[in-house]
Every structure is written in C-alpha cells, then in structure tokens.
Amino acid sequence: MLGGYSYQSAGDFRLHPENGVLPQRVAGAALGTLAPTLPRDGYDEAWRTSDIATLGDAFLYGVGNNHREMLVRARRAALLWSVVLGLVVFAWAWTLWGPAGAFFALGMYSISPTMLAHGPLVTSDTSAALFLALATWAWWRHLERPTVGSLLLSALSAGLAAIAKFSAAVLPPVFIMLAAWKLLASPTWTLHLPRPRELRGMLPRLSWIAGAIVVHTLVAALMIWAAFDFRFSAVGSDMPPMAQYYRLWSDALPSEGLMRSAILALREWQLLPEAYIYGFSFVLRFAESRPAFLNGEFGSSGWWWFFPYAFVVKSTIAELVALVTTVGLSLVAWRKRIREPGTGLSPAAHGMVPIVALAATYLAVSLSSSLNIGHRHLLPIYPLLFVASGALVLPSAARWRRWMAAALLAVGALESFTVRPHYLAFFNASVGGPALGWRHLVDSSLDWGQDVPALVDWVAAERRPGEALYYSVFGQRHAEAFGLQGTEIAPGYSTQSRPWIEWGPGIYAISATNLQDVYSPFAGPWDQKLEVEFQMLLRKKRAERERDPSTAVIGSSPEMGENYWTLERLQFARLVNYLRVRRPEATLGYSIFVHRLSSDEARVLREGLPKDYLALLDSVLVR
C-alpha cells in the first residue's frame, strides 16, 4: 500500500517497482480520502536507501495512520480486478459457446478457491490475469476483424497488461504465434509455407499486422511513461533524495547475457522510466534463484515440476475433471475432423486457438522459472480454463455433458464451501486436503500471515494465567498491532537489534512457512552437523553472556550481534524440526500451528544433549 500511495500522492516510484505500477496506484488511490501520513520526519535515511521494510512499518503502525481502515479500502479496490475478470470470462465464453457456456464458465470462476483467495488481496496477480486474458482475446478479435477500433482496443489492453505486472512479457510471443496462425494455417488443419503467389496475396495482411505490432509497442510505451508521470527519475520532486533502490542495481541485474545488456542499454538511453526498468530487471534476477519448498524438499534453483504439481494439488477436483474432459473431447473432435478430407477447423476448435497459445506460452515460461514460491503465479491459467470448459455445454452438446457440467458446479461449490473462508489454504483430496497442505507447499500457496486474528482470539480464550506465548508468523511483521501479546522468535524481517533470550515452557504458535523454516540458512532436516554446531555455539555464547550480559544482543543479520543471530536460527531450526512431528494442540485456518510445551520439553529443546533430543523425538513419533 505504501508504494501505491507514494506513487499517487508524491509522484515517487522508488518503492516496490517490481510489483506492477497499475494495481499499486489503484490501491493507493483508494486511500486518498483517508489522507494517510507518509513517514517523513526522521526517515530520510530510509527514503535514501528505499528501505521499504522500515517505511512500510512506519506507514502502517508508526505515524498514526489507521492501518485497519487502509487495508479494508485497499482490498475493496483490489476486488475491481476480480469483478472485471469475471466479466471477461463470461463475455469470452459467450462469444464461443453461447449463453449456457458463458454461465457455466462464470459459475466455475465464481466458486474457484484460487480466485476467491486472491481476488481481495492487494497484489498484482489478479490484475495480471485480467489483462493477459483480455489482451490475448482482443488481439485475436483484431486479427479476425482488423479495424481501427479493434486495433486500439487490443493495444490499450496490452498496454494495461504492461503496467499491471511484468508477466506481460509473455504477450509478444503469443501475439506473434496467433498472427502466424492466421497467416499460415490452411483450411485443413496444417501449417504450410506459402508459395510466392500466395505470399504476394498475404502482403497486405502482413503489412497490417506489422503496423499493428508497431502501434501496440508505441501505445504500451506511452502508457508506461504515463504510469510513471512521464519522468525517467523515480524520485518525487518534494521527496528526500535517493541513493539506491532497496537492492542495489548490481544485485538486481540478471546474470551475464543478452537480457542484461538490453536492460543496461534501456537505462543508459532512458528509453523507459528507470523504476520500470529496475523492476523488470529485479524480477528477472530473482527468478534465477530463490529459496523454495516443495513436497518436503528444499532448494534454490527450482523444480521443473513445481507449477504442474501446484496446479494439480491446489485446483479443485471439479476444475481438474473439467480440464481433462475438455481436452479429451477436443482431441476426439480433432481426430474425427482430420480424417475427413477438406474439412477445416470447427468453430469450437478455432475458438480454442488463443486460449491454447496463451496457456502454453505462460506454462512454458513458468516451467523454466526458479521462482517457485507460490501457486498464485499460475493465476492467469485459471480464467483460460474456465472459458475453455464452457465447451462442455455447447448448444449441440449431448445431454450427458450438460449433466456433467451441473455435477461439476455442484462438486466445485462443495469443495470451496468446505474450506471457507480459508480459500488460500485450499488443497484437494489427492494430498489429504487443507489439513495436510503444509507438508506440500507453503509461502503464498498457503501462508501469508492471514490467520493472526484467529490466533489472537485463540490465545484470549485458551491462554492460562501467567503462560508465556512465543510466536513466529510468516508474512506478518507486526502481529502485536492486531492485539497479539507475546514474544516473537526468530523473526524473518527484523531490522532492529533485540536481546537474545532462552525460550521456556508455554504456547508456541508457528505458521506453516516458518514451521518448514524455508528461508533459514539451516532449512531442511536437522542433522548431526547442525547439532554439533548448535551445541558448540550455545556453550560459547552462554559463557560470553556470563562474563558480560550486555553482549547478548541479536542483530538483523549474521554479521551483526556476534553470531547470536546464528545461534537463534539454529535454536529455531532445532525447535521446528521437533514441532513438525509433534501433534499440535490447535491448528488455526490450516496455516498456524499451536503447541503447548512442558518444562521438560522446553529444557531439552533449549539445551538438551543430542541423546535427550533424540529421545524426545522418539517419544512423539511413537504416540
């Protein structure tokens, strides 16, 4: 929200340029009547270094703004993308399959846990899904009816996609594929190289397509410049000076290669606003390597099967059946028609071409990415699935297909209803449902700190007098702002020094991503090497603290705090290795796991010898 509000109110674009300027500006505009205060006095250094963490904390909790009302307003604004996307799904399906197909597609869209989870979130994911679908459909319609009006609509849609999210980079190859199809596809399903006589006949259409691509490029560039107030510099005129983005340019550039050279040239020649170039570069760089978790495995270079797996386990059974049935029926129809000489594409198959082109291109890019941190990155696939599945209820469809469509809507609604309102935590029955989702995917596939209010309520009702509370919640930097009173342990985003303490008995509330300890340098199973390192460091730091208690301070990184940071991370890794096999006392919203540790458990976890720790693990494994 801070990024969008600073864009709108101060014309300053240094914060979060990698997350899409359009959805952020809309969220920022929603705060306009509240007139929240930007953190200024005393925050010059944070602005100088584009420290989004410090400035974001201050904006929400430190300068007197009403963070709850700001969040409500920003989320209401975010629903705009979800509503418009539903209309696009309905309209596209109507043009292909008629009213029945349109209402079926809209029904599947409306009950999808994926769409319900991400629709109200203040992110760029739903807006990206909207404009990728709209731009592809508009370009296809322009290819079929090349008028000035359809050209401008297509160019406008593509321009909006370019400022919604950097995944718009998939559109150029999609547009080229669709143009090639229209030019080269024969009436009998085959692509062929044109003969010279045919090529001369194609020249007018080829010239029009080339001109249309130029128009799209110019419109997109114009809209990007407009989104950044037609200014290369990211710094607003009345804002503190800036020395760097949150990550240095050198850290945000991709590895050596053509893309790195292109980004440097764009910046040197100032062909686009600097914040836009930086944001695009940042996305490319951090798609190369990022810590991730999948089905019990940890890695930083990604898995080719991450997104296919995420799609299978995070989609409803109804969505998967609709996909398989639609693909199967399409293949059967295709096989039948190619056996009939001289027949061309059926209207249904013809309508599927842009859907297949966008889905295939987007999936190909996803499979090659190492940014395996969330099922949400597959969001643009779902509207395409819903539009395509409208084919099940074509006017000419057999009665059994209509009954199947009705059954799919009923099953999908039941699946969605059973997990409400925890749609982000949805996993289908193939992996045991949402209760076991944390074993397979975490981060934005399950856990963004959304269940802190439920934790506050549980603690208020169940906490015993004098009982200590220790918590570690992913994605929520200030749980205390929601009324949670306790001690945060091993915070992932801490920017301030704090004393090192030895945890005792009491309530331990750990969210799924932190339970898997994905972003720790010690991610993965606890082993003998880590145990030895922990025991040695514990003895060393206890002795140092005895000599001088003032030294027991944890910094925000391993380089600060004389390795107390490392000790705390080891201590936490040892704790969650135990909690992963221990039955929780409560599970809140499928994403926060609450345990009560006794004095003996806490003592062994805090300082117990390896044999004591193993005995404790064995005791819970045999229960």
Side-chain angles (χ1 to χ4, degrees):
M1 286 187 292
L2 170 60
Y5 188 68
S6 68
Y7 300 170
Q8 286 295 105
S9 65
D12 193 282
F13 302 96
R14 75 185 81 183
L15 303 177
H16 267 322
E18 68 275 13
N19 282 344
V21 64
L22 176 61
Q24 292 194 82
R25 292 199 76 146
V26 169
L31 308 182
T33 56
L34 281 177
T37 301
L38 280 174
R40 295 289 297 269
D41 293 340
Y43 292 96
D44 281 0
E45 179 60 21
W47 284 105
R48 194 181 74 84
T49 57
S50 306
D51 186 351
I52 183 63
T54 299
L55 293 171
D57 286 352
F59 183 62
L60 289 171
Y61 312 111
V63 293
N65 294 325
N66 186 338
H67 70 275
R68 293 177 184 271
E69 182 62 22
M70 289 195 300
L71 181 60
V72 167
R73 294 200 180 194
R75 286 193 166 185
R76 285 175 182 167
L79 283 172
L80 167 71
W81 313 122
S82 187
V83 171
V84 177
L85 179 55
L87 294 175
V88 169
V89 168
F90 181 80
W92 195 349
W94 185 296
T95 63
L96 296 177
W97 326 118
F103 280 105
F104 176 73
L106 181 61
M108 293 293 288
Y109 173 86
S110 301
I111 62 176
S112 170
T114 298
M115 307 312 303
L116 290 169
H118 294 281
L121 297 185
V122 190
T123 67
S124 56
D125 300 306
T126 306
S127 62
L130 164 62
F131 291 116
L132 286 177
L134 183 60
T136 301
W137 183 32
W139 173 245
W140 180 250
R141 289 178 67 83
H142 171 65
L143 291 173
E144 292 191 312
R145 299 179 184 87
T147 65
V148 173
S150 66
L151 172 61
L152 293 178
L153 176 61
S154 178
L156 178 64
S157 302
L160 289 169
I163 56 177
K165 195 176 181 181
F166 290 109
S167 53
V170 304
L171 288 178
V174 170
F175 283 14
I176 291 171
M177 280 192 292
L178 294 178
W181 178 274
K182 295 296 286 186
L183 284 170
L184 302 178
S186 73
T188 56
W189 278 94
T190 57
L191 291 173
H192 70 287
L193 292 176
R195 297 185 180 93
R197 183 180 301 174
E198 294 174 314
L199 186 59
R200 285 194 296 271
M202 287 182 183
L203 285 178
R205 294 186 64 196
L206 188 60
S207 299
W208 178 270
I209 289 172
I213 291 175
V214 171
V215 169
H216 278 69
T217 303
L218 293 175
V219 169
L222 180 65
M223 294 183 70
I224 292 170
W225 278 106
F228 289 88
D229 294 347
F230 295 99
R231 198 179 67 239
F232 177 77
S233 172
V235 181
S237 58
D238 296 326
M239 297 295 288
M242 171 181 142
Q244 65 170 76
Y245 290 98
Y246 189 56
R247 298 281 185 137
L248 295 172
W249 256 109
S250 57
D251 295 332
L253 283 169
S255 302
E256 295 293 337
L258 179 61
M259 192 57 68
R260 180 188 179 97
S261 300
I263 289 170
L264 290 173
L266 285 172
R267 185 177 63 164
E268 181 181 355
W269 298 337
Q270 299 188 7
L271 297 179
L272 291 172
E274 185 188 29
Y276 189 84
I277 301 169
Y278 173 87
F280 182 61
S281 180
F282 183 98
V283 169
L284 291 177
R285 172 65 184 86
F286 286 93
E288 295 176 358
S289 177
R290 178 77 179 263
F293 171 84
L294 172 60
N295 210 22
E297 297 184 22
F298 298 82
S300 60
S301 57
W303 302 268
W304 70 265
W305 54 286
F306 178 92
F307 286 113
Y309 184 84
F311 181 81
V312 169
V313 302
K314 291 282 291 178
S315 300
T316 64
I317 298 300
E319 289 166 348
L320 296 176
V321 171
L323 173 63
V324 172
T325 305
T326 302
V327 171
L329 291 172
S330 299
L331 290 176
V332 169
W334 173 77
R335 185 179 179 185
K336 180 179 179 181
R337 291 186 72 88
I338 62 173
R339 289 181 173 179
E340 300 175 6
T343 59
L345 277 76
S346 67
H350 185 75
M352 288 285 196
V353 171
I355 296 172
V356 172
L358 178 56
T361 304
Y362 192 87
L363 284 173
V365 173
S366 299
L367 291 175
S368 65
S369 172
S370 298
L371 193 64
N372 293 170
I373 61 171
H375 167 253
R376 65 190 176 92
H377 294 292
L378 287 178
L379 205 65
I381 297 296
Y382 285 87
L384 305 177
L385 164 61
F386 302 138
V387 172
S389 66
L392 294 175
V393 288
L394 275 168
S396 59
R399 181 176 297 179
W400 69 266
R401 287 168 59 169
R402 295 175 178 270
W403 281 109
M404 169 180 263
L408 290 177
L409 284 173
V411 170
L414 179 63
E415 290 181 276
S416 188
F417 181 81
T418 56
V419 78
R420 79 191 196 293
H422 309 293
Y423 300 112
L424 187 63
F426 177 82
F427 286 79
N428 63 43
S430 69
V431 290
L436 298 180
W438 67 277
R439 298 176 185 265
H440 303 275
L441 298 169
V442 290
D443 203 300
S444 60
S445 298
L446 166 63
D447 170 28
W448 260 2
Q450 70 272 15
D451 289 309
V452 167
L455 176 59
V456 172
D457 292 342
W458 188 94
V459 170
E462 303 293 337
R463 191 177 192 175
R464 297 164 185 167
E467 189 172 31
L469 168 65
Y470 302 93
Y471 66 90
S472 180
V473 180
F474 180 72
Q476 181 51 257
R477 294 170 54 86
H478 285 276
E480 71 277 4
F482 294 86
L484 191 64
Q485 299 298 318
T487 300
E488 186 176 16
I489 56 178
Y493 302 103
S494 177
T495 58
Q496 298 185 7
S497 297
R498 60 196 189 283
W500 175 63
I501 62 173
E502 299 200 49
W503 313 323
I507 299 171
Y508 284 74
I510 316 292
S511 70
T513 307
N514 292 358
L515 187 66
Q516 297 293 3
D517 211 16
V518 177
Y519 297 109
S520 166
F522 311 112
W526 188 257
D527 58 24
Q528 184 178 6
K529 180 181 177 182
L530 293 176
E531 178 70 26
V532 170
E533 184 178 355
F534 168 73
Q535 294 287 351
M536 292 179 62
L537 195 55
L538 178 65
R539 289 195 295 270
K540 177 182 177 182
K541 292 305 174 186
R542 277 182 168 175
E544 288 181 6
R545 185 182 59 182
E546 297 243 340
R547 291 193 299 271
D548 184 0
S550 66
T551 63
V553 176
I554 303 171
S556 59
S557 69
E559 294 75 26
M560 302 175 64
E562 298 294 332
N563 281 331
Y564 280 105
W565 186 93
T566 301
L567 176 58
E568 184 188 46
R569 295 307 315 186
L570 284 165
Q571 188 178 11
F572 187 77
R574 198 173 192 255
L575 168 70
V576 296
N577 185 68
Y578 171 66
L579 295 184
R580 284 195 289 264
V581 297
R582 186 185 190 274
R583 185 186 298 275
E585 180 146 332
T587 302
L588 308 176
Y590 307 106
S591 77
I592 296 181
F593 302 86
V594 183
H595 298 261
R596 266 198 173 97
L597 298 187
S598 66
S599 297
D600 287 340
E601 284 179 296
R603 178 187 57 79
V604 171
L605 292 171
R606 181 178 64 243
E607 60 189 3
L609 296 174
K611 63 182 181 64
D612 300 322
Y613 184 68
L614 290 174
L616 186 63
L617 283 171
D618 289 341
S619 70
V620 297
L621 286 171
V622 298
R623 286 178 189 171

